Amino acid sequence: MPVTQWTPDLALNHAEMDKTHQEFVDLLNRVADAGGTALVRELDALIAHTEAHFAQEQQWMEAAAFPPLHCHVREHEGVLEITREVRKRVAEGETHLGGVLAKAVAEWFTHHAASMDLILAMFLNQPGQFQAATACQTGCETAKSAWHGAA
Ligand SMILES: [Fe+2]
Ligand SMILES: [Fe+2]
């Protein structure tokens, strides 16, 4: 059963980011639906895609001197750390964790896309016209409460 779905609400008016996010949503659903050895394979695919997804955003942030880079990157690192840990435990037999992870990351992503990624997309689309200091604070607080709410 899908844990999330792509909707126009998730679009951030940044073609490359939006394409990556659609793929990410698809991969989360594949993890949620997989079992047995296929689950480990799907988790590997999710991890590889997520590493590239987050590295690309970090590169954009560095190139644009995006002020709230560090809080955004910290959140990415936390998600990757949890995903790698779940992959390890699934491979050791705790296969129920695949679905738990997919659901939690899907909930996290809804908030992350609507806060940190939205702010980044706006900044990339309109550099110099955006109050990044305020955005950092708002983005971090929104993301923190979303993550704690999902945990
Ligand atoms: Fe993203
Ligand atoms: Fe992000």
Side-chain angles (χ1 to χ4, degrees):
M1 201 172 87
V3 289
T4 183
Q5 65 175 12
W6 177 263
T7 68
D9 288 351
L10 287 170
L12 303 179
N13 194 28
H14 187 288
E16 198 173 342
M17 207 185 294
D18 288 340
K19 178 174 177 289
T20 299
H21 287 169
Q22 288 183 52
E23 293 165 353
F24 183 64
V25 163
D26 183 47
L27 284 162
L28 288 174
N29 286 328
R30 292 175 65 108
V31 166
D33 287 342
T37 52
L39 177 54
V40 173
R41 216 169 41 238
E42 295 298 348
L43 282 166
D44 284 340
L46 175 66
I47 289 168
H49 186 276
T50 305
E51 286 171 345
H53 166 189
F54 291 172
Q56 174 64 83
E57 287 182 10
Q58 185 168 344
Q59 192 190 320
W60 285 329
M61 287 189 269
E62 287 167 355
F66 182 62
L69 180 150
H70 296 291
C71 66
H72 196 148
V73 168
R74 266 200 310 277
E75 203 170 306
H76 285 172
E77 286 170 350
V79 170
L80 265 175
E81 188 183 335
I82 291 165
T83 306
R84 291 188 185 114
E85 173 69 17
V86 165
R87 191 266 183 227
K88 181 171 161 278
R89 288 173 60 179
V90 164
E92 290 167 355
E94 293 185 77
T95 52
H96 69 286
L97 291 178
V100 174
L101 176 84
K103 191 166 180 294
V105 174
E107 286 173 16
W108 165 80
F109 177 65
T110 301
H111 296 286
H112 183 82
S115 54
M116 291 191 175
D117 286 349
L118 172 63
I119 291 158
L120 174 60
M122 289 169 75
F123 189 83
L124 294 173
N125 287 336
Q126 294 186 303
Q129 293 184 39
F130 199 68
Q131 298 299 317
T134 309
C136 179
Q137 188 143 6
T138 307
C140 283
E141 283 169 6
T142 305
K144 267 188 226 147
S145 59
W147 181 252
H148 291 142

